[in-house]
Amino acid sequence: MGAALAVAALIIVFAPAPSLAAQPTERRFRIEASSYEYAPPAIAVNVGDTVTLELVSTDYVHGLYVDGYGLNLIAEPGHTERLTFVADKPGAFRFRCSVTCGPLHPFMIGKLSVGPNWLLWRAVALAGVAAVAGLVIARR
Amino acid sequence: MTRYDLAQLPLVKPLLKSRWPQWIIQAIALAGFIFAIIAGFIGTPVGSRNFSIVFVWIGWWALLMLIAVPMFGRGWCSVCPIPLPGEWLQRGAVIAPNIKGGFTLGRRWPNKLRNIWLQNGSFALVALFSAVALTQPSVTAIVLAAFLFLAVGASLIFERRAFCRYLCPVGGFIGLYSQLAPIEVRAKDPSLCATHTEKTCYTGSADGYGCPWQVFPGGLTKNTYCGTCVECLRTCPHDNIAINLRPLGADLQQPTGRRLDEAFKAFIMLGSAMAYSLVMLGPWGAAKTAAYSVGSMAWAGYAAAFLIFIFGLLPGLFWIAVALSKKIRPHPRPLPRKRERGKGEGGTRKAFVSFSYALIPLGLTAWVAFSLSFVLANISYLWPAISDPLGWGWNLFGTAAMEWTPHLAQAAPTLQVIALVGGLLWASATARQIAGDLKYSTRASLPVIAFCAAVAVGMLWLLVG
Amino acid sequence: MLVIGIMIGIPMALVLARWANPAIELRARLAEAGGWTPADLTADVGQPLTLHLTSDDVMHGFAIGQSDAPALDVPPGTMVETTLTFERPGKYTFYCTRWCGLGHWRMRGTIEVSGPTSEPVMEPQPLYVALGINVDADHKIGDAPSQRPSAERGRALGIDLPEEYLSMDYYRAHSPVDLRDSLRANGLSDGDAWDVVAFVWRSNTTSEALAEGQRLYAANCAACHGEGGAGDGVAANALANNQHDAAMQFGQHTQRPADFTDLQSMLGASPALLQGKIIRGGMGTGMPYWGPIFTEPQSWAVADYLWTFVFQYQEAQ
């Protein structure tokens, strides 16, 4: 049983994700920033899409920094910042405000999803394995 | 169960027995602590550029939650500066032990309060104001100064480290999680302690003070209330104290000594990790502003929801899981007719308290995963804060102009998954073992494990999803 | 004893060091939280004035009105230093240059510079005052064209226009509909007349002025009036709903910002009216007054730029 669980865990971690072969397209998102959220707070694209982000700020100077891609946009009311990039890295990436905009600035967070969130699915599957494994692990 | 006494290693025992290394670390920590209070009051009100916020809630918190607690249990308590000034007054000495004693009424802590309910309450209280306390330097300064005053006051009125043992909100959860730590302070040979009449580990001697944590070191079986201050190492005349390296979570193996106040601490910690992940790291700005605008209707709603969740909903759902577990266990014989009519069914309360100890590893890993998010994203604030701690335009070490940038942003989600999945595995194994302690079948632990899995998946979705 | 000494000594030393510093500490906060502190400074002609600027909340900026000196960003939580020297006495306005909420334009302060006065500097009378134009009067026309008139088409018509119509004085003092009426009186069709008006309007400004106007518009006007001039900037709804706390605080009513793409309204306004509105402000509408901030040429540049929302100016990109 333990061996079966170990094999299952290895498969979950290392099996390559199926590529859902969607045609890369051009996507455009207008994101409104205010203290302390982005609207929309989450955007989703396919791997390989050419994505244009338009950051519109509605109150103060705000930024948008994308984890993993290292992109940084800065906008203020009256000045929309645009940036185009190719979403070549799959996964879920948080984006955060990069210009101090008040006390809760470090918690101004949104999410960019590129393709399915394989990390989350693998993690949930691993969680299932872990829950079962706990029953099986020999008592120390 | 193998234990390896680290004090055997060269240099370890001399370093611990000497009062100087520990005192020097504590003095540096005290200086930092006092500077954090000063910086909070006179420095810039912008949290991310003030030493107070950056070094306490990012720097120290990272040290505590990611290193000190998982690896050393109550290790932070052994170098924490908060009790220091009070202890100097209480002991009438700064370093060398003073038999005569100092200024204190030396009262015994009231029996009714010899539990961690006060710490449960103080943690929940700080949590309600945390959005403000963790982002406004002046409020952090007030909170830290309040801790200092309380600790000094407690030392002047009560014996030993009353603040640390019964009041400190941080100590409440460090104690709970220290049960998981891979190190422990124990007597090597308890039978030797039985023959030692003076019990200098508790009463003190010329070599050191009696246990400030009001614990009898010779009888220690769990880490929960031992502050690893190693006074006992100094006072034991028979060199009977060991600092053991041990398997993780060893204290959870003990079926005895499980208490309701500790059970609730587990819920408070687990629930607040989930609530913070939702409110502070989620995308909903309205929730954050509600948490911040203390005194408003929105904040009242947030506070009510928070308290209901950690004190009501989460334990309530767990109670249901435990009741299901109890149903599943095979009945070896008919239940006795004369039963105590206590709270709920006889036995469910005991099962509830026992099973909640499975939430301890889950809670620790949930806090590690949560902390990884904001620590890695914001640790770069430390560099400018070193050079310009007050936001006054200084540049002491040339790092003031360093820009904010998240570190290891791509590694964080993987680390969080490892922490949460590992925590679930640990919780599941613990639940199964607790089922055995209660004489339930292995299958009976399934509802509790399902609860843990649901929590773990919820945290995964919040942090990584 | 030592600990207490340190606890008291360090903050005292730090605070004293700060007081002893001759530079003036100028704190920026949102207008709702107090704006600039202090808001009134004094200086002497020829004497350098050193300021330590810091923000207590969000990103702000600092600049002196009607000055060429570039604006300075004032980031939160750190200090930036600047030294100003004034050649002439007078009252200078300093203002915030990074949009910081609905109270942003109210974040202003003054520097009173005293010194030996030579001759008093006479402020020229704004043109709208000299012409007796009522800046607040309604200037809607009933018969605006359905499409934006094109300056290029107007030029291509090759109409021989009297000198009077091509002069800067005429342009500034008259609204487009005035010129259209004159042209129609001389036999032009409505469509052609409007195109010629667009051409005349374009000929009274330069590419440089339009570029400057665009820059100033983007920095100062777009947040309310919209990047496309349609009165739909990010602040527009709050102004329309009179939601602005500062409006409440300052006892001022606000309304939806003007739509510069509205041909009915714009074609009945003269450049002098627009420029007057810009420098005088809205008098109870929430429109800021830019007189102390823009130099006279800058205010005309912005007014000139506003016509690009109404007329098609073919600009070489």
Side-chain angles (χ1 to χ4, degrees), chain C residues 54-123:
Chain C
T54 184
S55 161
D56 285 347
D57 40 37
V58 303
M59 175 72 84
H60 291 283
F62 173 89
I64 306 280
Q66 301 183 343
S67 154
D68 287 328
L72 202 62
D73 272 350
V74 181
T78 186
M79 292 251 178
V80 291
E81 187 179 289
T82 187
T83 304
L84 307 165
T85 316
F86 298 92
E87 303 303 323
R88 279 190 304 279
K91 196 166 186 168
Y92 294 81
T93 302
F94 64 88
Y95 63 106
C96 178
T97 57
R98 300 303 296 269
W99 188 272
C100 49
L102 288 170
H104 163 65
W105 74 267
R106 295 178 198 275
M107 253 189 93
R108 296 181 183 178
T110 56
I111 306 178
E112 192 81 50
V113 179
S114 43
T117 36
S118 37
E119 70 286 341
V121 177
M122 291 300 294
E123 288 279 334

Side-chain angles (χ1 to χ4, degrees), chain B residues 391-457:
Chain B
W392 286 358
W394 297 353
N395 199 349
L396 301 171
F397 299 102
T399 60
M402 287 180 73
E403 296 279 325
W404 167 83
T405 177
H407 287 316
L408 295 178
Q410 281 173 289
T414 308
L415 293 171
Q416 291 171 312
V417 168
I418 293 175
L420 287 167
V421 170
L424 178 59
L425 176 65
W426 199 346
S428 170
T430 308
R432 194 205 78 160
Q433 177 226 306
I434 293 174
D437 295 339
L438 290 167
K439 308 266 193 296
Y440 289 15
S441 64
T442 298
R443 204 178 312 150
S445 60
L446 280 173
V448 171
I449 293 180
F451 177 94
C452 296
V455 166
V457 169

Side-chain angles (χ1 to χ4, degrees), chain A residues 34-38 41-42 64-69 72 89 92-94 96-100 102-111 113 117 119-120 122-140, chain B residues 1 46 48 131 135-136 247-250 253 280-286 288-289 292 373-374 377-378 381 404-406 409-410 413-414 417 421 424-426 428-429 432-433 436-437 442 445-446 449 453 457 460-465:
Chain A
S34 60
S35 296
Y36 303 97
E37 65 182 353
Y38 293 100
L64 189 148
Y65 175 95
V66 185
D67 282 356
Y69 280 88
N72 196 14
K89 288 189 264 236
F93 302 90
R94 296 297 195 267
R96 311 166 188 282
C97 184
S98 50
V99 179
T100 304
L104 297 185
H105 155 73
F107 303 111
M108 189 167 154
I109 298 171
K111 182 174 71 171
S113 299
N117 190 346
L119 182 66
L120 179 65
R122 290 184 208 262
V124 172
L126 272 180
V129 170
V132 173
L135 289 169
V136 163
I137 282 184
R139 191 195 273 247
R140 275 179 255 125
Chain B
M1 276 173 260
V46 178
S48 50
T135 57
Q136 289 283 25
L248 290 173
Q253 314 267 324
M280 303 315 279
L281 300 184
W284 302 287
K288 296 174 219 250
T289 5
Y292 187 82
S373 275
F374 72 81
N378 295 307
Y381 282 131
W404 167 83
T405 177
Q410 281 173 289
T414 308
V417 168
V421 170
L424 178 59
L425 176 65
W426 199 346
S428 170
R432 194 205 78 160
Q433 177 226 306
D437 295 339
T442 298
S445 60
L446 280 173
I449 293 180
V457 169
L460 280 170
W461 180 76
L462 283 171
L463 295 178
V464 171

Side-chain angles (χ1 to χ4, degrees), chain C residues 266-282:
Chain C
M266 287 294 283
L267 295 176
S270 61
L273 187 149
L274 295 179
Q275 189 257 5
K277 201 66 167 283
I278 290 170
I279 59 176
R280 188 208 66 172

Side-chain angles (χ1 to χ4, degrees), chain B residues 97 133 143 158 190 215 239 243 271 296 323 328 331 379 404 407 445 462:
Chain B
V143 169
F158 298 100
V215 152
D239 189 26
I243 317 283
S296 68
I328 296 176
H331 290 265
I379 201 152
W404 167 83
H407 287 316
S445 60
L462 283 171

Side-chain angles (χ1 to χ4, degrees), chain B residues 35 50 96 98 116 206 214 269 288 300 306 368 378 403 431 439:
Chain B
F35 186 67
N50 189 309
N98 178 6
I116 66 169
Q214 305 176 39
M269 292 308 291
K288 296 174 219 250
F306 182 81
V368 166
N378 295 307
E403 296 279 325
K439 308 266 193 296

